Amino acid sequence: MALIATNAGYYNDNQPTPYIKVEDSPIIKGSLLDLLDSRFSIFVELARRGGFRDLLNDPQGRHTVFAFPDQYLSEQTKSALLSLDVGESFALIGSHIINGVNKMSFLMDNRFLIPTKNKYNQLFADVQNGVIGLSAETFQKVKLLNNGDLAINGVVVVIMSPLIPQTSFI
């Protein structure tokens, strides 16, 4: 089943997203996986399937994770995501994780490409519109919903929709 992204969480050039004010978040006790509670059940399932569960739970790890909550996904998108195999899950979730704990101010103030765990995709932040996306021929832009919640092993930034890797399963 092909993954079809809805327009619900994607940036539209005619309706710019307001700039997100960057603030530091307090450190929350627990791992990245602890922050990804029941609101992120599909993301967590795909992370498990794609082999990222241990990375998200590793107290020695240092990563920034861009996670999408279940509530903004259409039923069709949920079904398509849950039908992904191991390789497709790796490609998708790998495109949502970057090495290092990066404050949103760093990501939003620097206009460059950042490698993700999916070696075929890089992350790009658009400071003008408060969105992120993957580098590709078509720049998919996804709304940021928070400035990041800190865990002992990284930061979780909530995004409205999945970042769809161009080199995977579409």
Side-chain angles (χ1 to χ4, degrees):
M1 178 184 293
L3 180 64
I4 300 171
T6 64
N7 288 331
Y10 297 99
Y11 171 81
N12 177 334
D13 288 326
N14 297 326
Q15 298 173 345
T17 303
Y19 177 75
I20 294 174
K21 183 178 178 184
V22 177
E23 299 177 30
D24 290 335
S25 300
I27 294 178
I28 297 175
K29 295 180 180 177
S31 70
L32 291 166
L33 194 56
D34 294 329
L35 289 180
L36 296 169
D37 57 25
S38 61
R39 297 172 299 149
F40 301 92
S41 66
I42 294 173
F43 185 92
V44 170
E45 170 56 24
L46 295 174
R48 181 202 62 76
R49 197 178 297 171
F52 290 107
R53 190 172 170 91
D54 289 343
L55 178 140
L56 297 175
N57 211 25
D58 180 3
Q60 302 304 314
R62 299 291 178 262
H63 304 284
T64 300
V65 176
F66 296 90
F68 49 88
D70 301 351
Q71 76 185 68
Y72 297 112
L73 304 174
S74 70
E75 290 304 315
Q76 182 179 13
T77 300
K78 288 177 185 179
S79 177
L81 288 170
L82 290 172
S83 72
L84 299 179
D85 64 23
V86 170
E88 294 165 337
S89 297
F90 177 87
L92 182 84
I93 297 301
S95 298
H96 290 77
I97 302 172
I98 60 176
N99 286 331
V101 178
N102 295 289
K103 293 181 181 178
M104 288 311 298
S105 57
F106 172 78
L107 293 175
M108 299 304 279
D109 291 340
N110 294 285
R111 296 180 63 93
F112 55 86
L113 299 174
I114 305 163
T116 66
K117 291 289 184 183
N118 177 343
K119 67 181 180 178
Y120 299 107
N121 287 286
Q122 296 176 316
L123 193 75
F124 182 80
D126 180 349
V127 67
Q128 297 296 321
N129 298 300
V131 295
I132 61 165
L134 295 175
S135 63
E137 289 180 17
T138 58
F139 177 56
Q140 172 201 2
K141 300 174 185 177
V142 175
K143 291 180 186 179
L144 296 165
L145 297 179
N146 76 350
N147 295 316
D149 294 321
L150 294 173
I152 60 171
N153 60 342
V155 63
V156 173
V157 177
V158 180
I159 58 176
M160 191 169 233
S161 303
L163 295 163
I164 308 299
Q166 298 298 311
T167 57
S168 68
F169 49 89
I170 297 179

PDB file of all heavy atoms in Angstrom, residues 70-85:
ATOM      1  N   ASP A  70      -0.428  10.666  16.548  1.00  0.00           N
ATOM      2  CA  ASP A  70      -1.484   9.945  15.835  1.00  0.00           C
ATOM      3  C   ASP A  70      -2.665  10.848  15.473  1.00  0.00           C
ATOM      4  O   ASP A  70      -3.284  10.672  14.427  1.00  0.00           O
ATOM      5  CB  ASP A  70      -2.026   8.790  16.688  1.00  0.00           C
ATOM      6  CG  ASP A  70      -0.970   7.775  17.073  1.00  0.00           C
ATOM      7  OD1 ASP A  70       0.166   7.840  16.557  1.00  0.00           O
ATOM      8  OD2 ASP A  70      -1.286   6.914  17.910  1.00  0.00           O
ATOM      9  N   GLN A  71      -2.993  11.800  16.324  1.00  0.00           N
ATOM     10  CA  GLN A  71      -4.231  12.558  16.184  1.00  0.00           C
ATOM     11  C   GLN A  71      -4.342  13.347  14.889  1.00  0.00           C
ATOM     12  O   GLN A  71      -5.458  13.657  14.454  1.00  0.00           O
ATOM     13  CB  GLN A  71      -4.416  13.500  17.374  1.00  0.00           C
ATOM     14  CG  GLN A  71      -3.528  14.738  17.329  1.00  0.00           C
ATOM     15  CD  GLN A  71      -3.654  15.576  18.577  1.00  0.00           C
ATOM     16  OE1 GLN A  71      -3.255  15.171  19.639  1.00  0.00           O
ATOM     17  NE2 GLN A  71      -4.222  16.750  18.426  1.00  0.00           N
ATOM     18  N   TYR A  72      -3.242  13.694  14.252  1.00  0.00           N
ATOM     19  CA  TYR A  72      -3.306  14.490  13.028  1.00  0.00           C
ATOM     20  C   TYR A  72      -3.284  13.645  11.759  1.00  0.00           C
ATOM     21  O   TYR A  72      -3.320  14.186  10.659  1.00  0.00           O
ATOM     22  CB  TYR A  72      -2.154  15.502  12.989  1.00  0.00           C
ATOM     23  CG  TYR A  72      -2.237  16.499  14.100  1.00  0.00           C
ATOM     24  CD1 TYR A  72      -1.300  16.499  15.129  1.00  0.00           C
ATOM     25  CD2 TYR A  72      -3.259  17.444  14.146  1.00  0.00           C
ATOM     26  CE1 TYR A  72      -1.377  17.409  16.168  1.00  0.00           C
ATOM     27  CE2 TYR A  72      -3.346  18.357  15.178  1.00  0.00           C
ATOM     28  CZ  TYR A  72      -2.396  18.333  16.180  1.00  0.00           C
ATOM     29  OH  TYR A  72      -2.477  19.232  17.207  1.00  0.00           O
ATOM     30  N   LEU A  73      -3.219  12.329  11.902  1.00  0.00           N
ATOM     31  CA  LEU A  73      -3.155  11.436  10.744  1.00  0.00           C
ATOM     32  C   LEU A  73      -4.553  11.000  10.329  1.00  0.00           C
ATOM     33  O   LEU A  73      -5.372  10.644  11.173  1.00  0.00           O
ATOM     34  CB  LEU A  73      -2.315  10.201  11.078  1.00  0.00           C
ATOM     35  CG  LEU A  73      -0.890  10.440  11.560  1.00  0.00           C
ATOM     36  CD1 LEU A  73      -0.243   9.131  11.977  1.00  0.00           C
ATOM     37  CD2 LEU A  73      -0.076  11.140  10.485  1.00  0.00           C
ATOM     38  N   SER A  74      -4.807  11.007   9.029  1.00  0.00           N
ATOM     39  CA  SER A  74      -6.084  10.491   8.540  1.00  0.00           C
ATOM     40  C   SER A  74      -6.102   8.976   8.733  1.00  0.00           C
ATOM     41  O   SER A  74      -5.048   8.343   8.900  1.00  0.00           O
ATOM     42  CB  SER A  74      -6.254  10.823   7.052  1.00  0.00           C
ATOM     43  OG  SER A  74      -5.351  10.051   6.278  1.00  0.00           O
ATOM     44  N   GLU A  75      -7.283   8.378   8.689  1.00  0.00           N
ATOM     45  CA  GLU A  75      -7.391   6.923   8.821  1.00  0.00           C
ATOM     46  C   GLU A  75      -6.640   6.227   7.696  1.00  0.00           C
ATOM     47  O   GLU A  75      -6.007   5.191   7.911  1.00  0.00           O
ATOM     48  CB  GLU A  75      -8.859   6.493   8.865  1.00  0.00           C
ATOM     49  CG  GLU A  75      -9.571   6.899  10.145  1.00  0.00           C
ATOM     50  CD  GLU A  75      -8.883   6.386  11.407  1.00  0.00           C
ATOM     51  OE1 GLU A  75      -8.486   5.208  11.453  1.00  0.00           O
ATOM     52  OE2 GLU A  75      -8.731   7.181  12.365  1.00  0.00           O
ATOM     53  N   GLN A  76      -6.686   6.799   6.509  1.00  0.00           N
ATOM     54  CA  GLN A  76      -5.982   6.215   5.364  1.00  0.00           C
ATOM     55  C   GLN A  76      -4.470   6.250   5.592  1.00  0.00           C
ATOM     56  O   GLN A  76      -3.771   5.281   5.310  1.00  0.00           O
ATOM     57  CB  GLN A  76      -6.342   6.973   4.086  1.00  0.00           C
ATOM     58  CG  GLN A  76      -5.690   6.413   2.836  1.00  0.00           C
ATOM     59  CD  GLN A  76      -6.087   7.176   1.583  1.00  0.00           C
ATOM     60  OE1 GLN A  76      -6.660   8.260   1.661  1.00  0.00           O
ATOM     61  NE2 GLN A  76      -5.781   6.612   0.434  1.00  0.00           N
ATOM     62  N   THR A  77      -3.958   7.363   6.114  1.00  0.00           N
ATOM     63  CA  THR A  77      -2.523   7.484   6.386  1.00  0.00           C
ATOM     64  C   THR A  77      -2.108   6.538   7.508  1.00  0.00           C
ATOM     65  O   THR A  77      -1.067   5.878   7.416  1.00  0.00           O
ATOM     66  CB  THR A  77      -2.157   8.942   6.731  1.00  0.00           C
ATOM     67  OG1 THR A  77      -2.495   9.777   5.616  1.00  0.00           O
ATOM     68  CG2 THR A  77      -0.676   9.084   7.026  1.00  0.00           C
ATOM     69  N   LYS A  78      -2.929   6.439   8.552  1.00  0.00           N
ATOM     70  CA  LYS A  78      -2.627   5.499   9.640  1.00  0.00           C
ATOM     71  C   LYS A  78      -2.516   4.082   9.108  1.00  0.00           C
ATOM     72  O   LYS A  78      -1.575   3.352   9.430  1.00  0.00           O
ATOM     73  CB  LYS A  78      -3.709   5.559  10.725  1.00  0.00           C
ATOM     74  CG  LYS A  78      -3.689   6.798  11.563  1.00  0.00           C
ATOM     75  CD  LYS A  78      -4.847   6.792  12.559  1.00  0.00           C
ATOM     76  CE  LYS A  78      -4.932   8.091  13.329  1.00  0.00           C
ATOM     77  NZ  LYS A  78      -6.068   8.104  14.273  1.00  0.00           N
ATOM     78  N   SER A  79      -3.468   3.683   8.294  1.00  0.00           N
ATOM     79  CA  SER A  79      -3.478   2.340   7.722  1.00  0.00           C
ATOM     80  C   SER A  79      -2.241   2.108   6.849  1.00  0.00           C
ATOM     81  O   SER A  79      -1.604   1.051   6.928  1.00  0.00           O
ATOM     82  CB  SER A  79      -4.759   2.142   6.907  1.00  0.00           C
ATOM     83  OG  SER A  79      -4.763   0.886   6.296  1.00  0.00           O
ATOM     84  N   ALA A  80      -1.909   3.095   6.031  1.00  0.00           N
ATOM     85  CA  ALA A  80      -0.737   2.969   5.161  1.00  0.00           C
ATOM     86  C   ALA A  80       0.548   2.868   5.984  1.00  0.00           C
ATOM     87  O   ALA A  80       1.419   2.042   5.693  1.00  0.00           O
ATOM     88  CB  ALA A  80      -0.662   4.153   4.201  1.00  0.00           C
ATOM     89  N   LEU A  81       0.664   3.690   7.023  1.00  0.00           N
ATOM     90  CA  LEU A  81       1.860   3.641   7.875  1.00  0.00           C
ATOM     91  C   LEU A  81       1.992   2.286   8.561  1.00  0.00           C
ATOM     92  O   LEU A  81       3.080   1.704   8.608  1.00  0.00           O
ATOM     93  CB  LEU A  81       1.820   4.758   8.922  1.00  0.00           C
ATOM     94  CG  LEU A  81       2.054   6.172   8.416  1.00  0.00           C
ATOM     95  CD1 LEU A  81       1.757   7.189   9.505  1.00  0.00           C
ATOM     96  CD2 LEU A  81       3.471   6.347   7.891  1.00  0.00           C
ATOM     97  N   LEU A  82       0.894   1.783   9.076  1.00  0.00           N
ATOM     98  CA  LEU A  82       0.946   0.509   9.804  1.00  0.00           C
ATOM     99  C   LEU A  82       1.160  -0.690   8.879  1.00  0.00           C
ATOM    100  O   LEU A  82       1.467  -1.781   9.354  1.00  0.00           O
ATOM    101  CB  LEU A  82      -0.319   0.334  10.636  1.00  0.00           C
ATOM    102  CG  LEU A  82      -0.407   1.300  11.828  1.00  0.00           C
ATOM    103  CD1 LEU A  82      -1.767   1.203  12.500  1.00  0.00           C
ATOM    104  CD2 LEU A  82       0.719   1.058  12.819  1.00  0.00           C
ATOM    105  N   SER A  83       1.044  -0.479   7.570  1.00  0.00           N
ATOM    106  CA  SER A  83       1.296  -1.570   6.626  1.00  0.00           C
ATOM    107  C   SER A  83       2.748  -1.594   6.130  1.00  0.00           C
ATOM    108  O   SER A  83       3.116  -2.479   5.368  1.00  0.00           O
ATOM    109  CB  SER A  83       0.346  -1.467   5.433  1.00  0.00           C
ATOM    110  OG  SER A  83       0.703  -0.376   4.615  1.00  0.00           O
ATOM    111  N   LEU A  84       3.566  -0.635   6.583  1.00  0.00           N
ATOM    112  CA  LEU A  84       4.962  -0.584   6.131  1.00  0.00           C
ATOM    113  C   LEU A  84       5.749  -1.776   6.658  1.00  0.00           C
ATOM    114  O   LEU A  84       5.552  -2.213   7.792  1.00  0.00           O
ATOM    115  CB  LEU A  84       5.626   0.715   6.599  1.00  0.00           C
ATOM    116  CG  LEU A  84       5.014   2.021   6.097  1.00  0.00           C
ATOM    117  CD1 LEU A  84       5.778   3.209   6.662  1.00  0.00           C
ATOM    118  CD2 LEU A  84       4.993   2.061   4.586  1.00  0.00           C
ATOM    119  N   ASP A  85       6.673  -2.267   5.836  1.00  0.00           N
ATOM    120  CA  ASP A  85       7.524  -3.365   6.277  1.00  0.00           C
ATOM    121  C   ASP A  85       8.750  -2.809   7.016  1.00  0.00           C
ATOM    122  O   ASP A  85       8.852  -1.591   7.230  1.00  0.00           O
ATOM    123  CB  ASP A  85       7.921  -4.271   5.105  1.00  0.00           C
ATOM    124  CG  ASP A  85       8.786  -3.570   4.056  1.00  0.00           C
ATOM    125  OD1 ASP A  85       9.455  -2.554   4.357  1.00  0.00           O
ATOM    126  OD2 ASP A  85       8.796  -4.052   2.904  1.00  0.00           O
TER     127      ASP A  85
END
